[in-house]
Structures are given as C-alpha cells and as structure tokens.
C-alpha cells in the first residue's frame, strides 16, 4: 500500500462527483472483455466520463475494453458506475493501477461491486461457450497483491453468497465456480490447464482477483461473474485469440445485459 494510491482514488472520486453532479452511487460494475456490449442494457445513460478526465486513470490498452465510466440510472432509479474497461496487471502499470477503479468507486460511495470477466473454462464436461458462471471463490496466481503492510484482510468470503443467491432468484440455472487468475498476457499451456483443474479451478483468466481483494479491503460486497469464452482453455486443441473472446461477448451481450440489469435492481 502506498498512501498515495488511496489519496489518488479520493481525488478521482471527487472529480467524478464534480463531473456528474451526483453525491453518491449505489453500485459499480466493471465490464471485462466481451461484456462491454452488455452495458447498454443496464439502464439509461446519465453521463459518461472518459478515464483520461480522472486522476490516476489511463486509457485502456486492450481492444474491446472501452475507456470510460458511464453513469447509468437503472429502472428502479439506482445510480450505477459502469466501468467500460479495466487495467490488467500484464500491462505493466503496477498493481495500484489495476485496482484504482475499485478504490475510486469505494471512495465515491459505492458499497456493492460487480466484477465481470471473460474466462477460459476448465470444466469443458459441463461448460459451454457463452455460459455465465458465478464466481464462488478465487485462486490468486498472479504473484501480486494490492495490499501491503500489516493489515491482515479476511478472505473467507470474497464473493458474497448473499449476492449469488440474489442472482439465482433471477436465473436459477447459473453454475458457480472457482476463478483462477494468472498474470498473463500469455494464455495457459496445456500442462498449466491440467494443473489448474487439479487445484480445483473451474475458470481461468487474467483479471478480477486483485480488484476483488481491494474491494474487500474497502468492505465492498462483491459479485463476480465469468463469461466462459473458450471451454477447455489451452486443452481445446485450438490456438486461442482475443478476437474470439470478444466475439463470444458480442453474441451473448443481450443475455448478459438483461441479467445484470435485473440483478442491480435487486441489490
Ligand atoms: N485463459 C486466460 N484468460 C482468458 C481465457 C483463457 O483461456 N479466455 C478468456 N480470457
């Protein structure tokens, strides 16, 4: 932890309040690869703030990752901060940059955080392309942690069972699973995929875990949802590419958007 990272987040939150004229926000949603097209369904856009207008944010380096915060009013009149894009550890900007959006949301008054991502499926026996999976827990193999110092943070329930139960009221068919994160940007080798299955992982990706840890430090309630873009991940026998990951998102955006809209109004 550098104190500066938290100060920078408070400054970004103040800039967000000033840019939007809103005192507080109810929920924040981080839209991962493939999820950006789903953002339109969450509610009516009140305003949009480019990341580059806010202290500590950078324009995202990765295609399909937007680059702004959209303020949305939901059907029930809630205000949501929708992050169209995130910073990944593999971009090399450091762990504080990865969790800056989460710290900014927390400083802006958000109490609930929805983290979405695209993931490789480690259980092709039961997972199909385009399946949303609720994250029940994670294994952090990034080698990084957003928290430094001697404050020990409890992680026995990073992903709220209460929120997962709320989502299941909307869609009782959703599976849940353990998300494993590597730093990336390489996709996994077949041997790594076999290892992750043995370790108890169900999905693999390159995001989410560090943001979830920062969120728990700030006492936010966290919901995580993966979109399985490539069941079998590195075992599927076909090379992986990022465009494929985005395409699955486009194909399933309508379903994801409706799901998120209904969930947000149940919070
Ligand atoms: N591995 C890591 N990250 C990913 C994958 C994958 O197979 N698919 C989408 N993001």
């Amino acid at each position: 932890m550098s104190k500066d990272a938290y100060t920078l987040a408070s400054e970004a939150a103040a800039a967000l309040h000033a840019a939007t004229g809103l005192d507080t926000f109810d929920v924040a949603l981080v839209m991962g690869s493939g999820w950006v097209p789903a953002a339109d369904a969450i509610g009516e856009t009140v305003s949009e703030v480019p990341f580059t207008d806010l202290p500590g944010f950078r324009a995202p380096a990765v295609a399909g990752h937007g680059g702004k915060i959209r303020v949305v009013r939901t059907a029930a009149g809630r205000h949501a901060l929708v992050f169209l894009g995130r910073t990944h550890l593999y971009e090399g900007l450091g762990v504080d940059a990865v969790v800056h959006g989460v710290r900014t949301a927390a400083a802006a008054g958000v109490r609930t955080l929805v983290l979405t991502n695209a993931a490789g499926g480690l259980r092709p026996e039961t997972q199909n392309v385009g399946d949303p999976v609720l994250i029940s827990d994670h294994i952090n193999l990034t080698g990084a942690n957003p928290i430094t110092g001697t404050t020990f943070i409890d992680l026995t329930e990073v992903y709220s069972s209460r929120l997962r139960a709320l989502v299941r009221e909307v869609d009782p068919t959703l599976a849940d699973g353990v998300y494993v994160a590597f730093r990336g940007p390489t996709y996994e080798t077949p041997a790594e995929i076999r290892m992750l299955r043995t370790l108890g992982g169900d999905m693999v990706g390159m995001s989410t875990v560090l943001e979830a840890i920062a969120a728990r430090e700030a006492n936010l309630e966290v919901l995580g949802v993966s979109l399985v873009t490539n069941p079998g991940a590195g075992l599927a026998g076909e090379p992986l590419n990022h465009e494929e990951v985005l395409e699955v998102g486009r194909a399933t955006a309508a379903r994801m958007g409706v799901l998120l809209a209904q969930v947000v109004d149940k919070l």
Side-chain angles (χ1 to χ4, degrees):
M1 173 191 72
S2 76
K3 263 279 175 287
D4 283 354
Y6 297 85
T7 308
L8 198 57
S10 295
E11 287 168 9
L16 200 52
H17 290 310
T20 60
L22 292 166
D23 289 342
T24 192
F25 305 94
D26 302 294
V27 54
L29 299 97
V30 179
M31 309 306 273
S33 308
W35 285 83
V36 171
D40 295 340
I42 297 168
E44 174 202 345
T45 301
V46 177
S47 58
E48 290 193 330
V49 185
F51 283 154
T52 45
D53 284 4
L54 299 172
F57 283 89
R58 305 255 194 132
V62 181
H65 283 147
K68 57 194 170 191
I69 300 177
R70 182 183 290 173
V71 181
V72 167
R73 189 169 31 240
T74 69
R78 304 249 164 83
H79 283 113
L81 292 174
V82 183
F83 286 75
L84 300 176
R86 57 153 57 95
T87 297
H88 297 80
L89 195 61
Y90 57 69
E91 291 170 52
L93 300 173
V95 70
D96 283 331
V98 172
V99 302
H100 183 57
V102 170
R103 287 182 178 149
T104 298
V110 161
R111 307 308 317 152
T112 310
L113 177 69
V114 181
L115 296 169
T116 67
N117 61 49
L122 298 171
R123 306 286 163 192
E125 329 65 271
T126 55
Q127 294 166 339
N128 296 303
V129 175
D131 278 359
V133 181
L134 299 177
I135 301 175
S136 57
D137 203 349
H138 77 217
I139 299 175
N140 176 11
L141 297 181
T142 66
N145 196 303
I147 303 166
T148 45
T150 51
T151 313
F152 299 98
I153 306 287
D154 176 67
L155 296 184
T156 46
E157 191 179 314
V158 180
Y159 304 90
S160 159
S161 55
R162 187 187 81 87
L163 293 182
R164 272 180 281 144
L166 276 186
V167 179
R168 289 228 168 76
E169 289 174 15
V170 175
D171 185 345
T173 68
L174 292 184
D176 61 21
V178 173
Y179 177 87
V180 189
F182 274 128
R183 177 186 181 281
T186 46
Y187 289 114
E188 300 71 33
T189 65
E192 285 165 345
I193 295 298
R194 286 191 294 272
M195 173 187 80
L196 298 183
R197 285 169 56 94
T198 306
L199 291 180
D202 298 301
M203 299 84 78
V204 59
M206 307 173 194
S207 69
T208 302
V209 299
L210 302 175
E211 293 149 284
I213 291 169
R216 292 306 300 141
E217 183 190 29
N219 248 316
L220 305 188
E221 198 174 5
V222 179
L223 174 70
V225 194
S226 289
L227 180 66
V228 174
T229 54
N230 45 298
L235 286 183
E238 285 166 27
L240 292 173
N241 72 73
H242 184 61
E243 189 45 46
E244 237 167 44
V245 168
L246 297 183
E247 187 47 45
V248 174
R250 282 191 281 274
T252 55
R255 185 180 170 208
M256 297 303 107
V258 170
L259 177 74
L260 290 179
Q262 289 176 312
V263 168
V264 164
D265 272 339
K266 275 181 163 286
L267 294 173

